[in-house]
């Protein structure tokens, strides 16, 4: 399952990457504990609540992909809203959340 957080005007705030081994804290809200699995050049994977998520940049915004584990759409939506608020702030209303990817034939 892949999602994208996209600001309608193309704005992505400057992200403050965490210390070594915690760089992805710029994507992950502080009320979520995580274990960073990988990090390379602004993207990587982290285990959050026994699920592996991949964080990366897309042409339009920020991509978040569930790599391992199963979540309900409601759980994913709650997590994505938390990430959106963490990056853009609580009051920023221009960010849209999309499910992304090709439909299998």
């Amino acid at each position: 399952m892949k999602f994208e957080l996209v600001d309608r005007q193309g704005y992505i705030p400057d992200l403050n990457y965490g210390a070594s081994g915690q760089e992805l804290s710029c994507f992950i809200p502080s009320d979520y504990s995580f274990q960073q699995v990988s990090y390379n050049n602004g993207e990587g994977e982290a285990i959050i609540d026994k699920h592996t998520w991949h964080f990366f940049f897309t042409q339009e915004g920020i991509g978040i992909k569930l790599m391992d584990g199963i979540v309900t759409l409601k759980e994913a939506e709650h997590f994505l809203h938390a990430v959106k608020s963490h990056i853009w702030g609580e009051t920023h209303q221009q960010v849209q959340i999309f499910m992304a990817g090709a439909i299998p034939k």
Side-chain angles (χ1 to χ4, degrees), residues 44-93:
E45 293 182 2
I47 298 172
I48 304 166
D49 294 330
K50 300 179 184 174
H51 300 91
T52 303
W53 294 89
H54 182 193
F55 298 87
F56 56 99
F57 290 96
T58 67
Q59 287 183 328
E60 295 84 22
I62 293 175
I64 303 168
K65 183 175 183 180
L66 180 62
M67 303 297 290
D68 183 39
I70 297 173
V71 297
T72 66
L73 190 54
K74 187 171 223 135
E75 290 169 326
E77 181 182 32
H78 183 265
F79 177 63
L80 294 167
H81 278 287
V83 171
K84 179 186 92 134
S85 294
H86 177 69
I87 294 172
W88 280 274
E90 291 287 333
T91 60
H92 191 79
Q93 299 297 315

Side-chain angles (χ1 to χ4, degrees), residues 34-47:
F34 72 96
Q35 176 188 356
Q36 186 167 296
V37 177
S38 66
Y39 175 78
N40 185 25
N41 201 29
E43 68 177 61
E45 293 182 2
I47 298 172

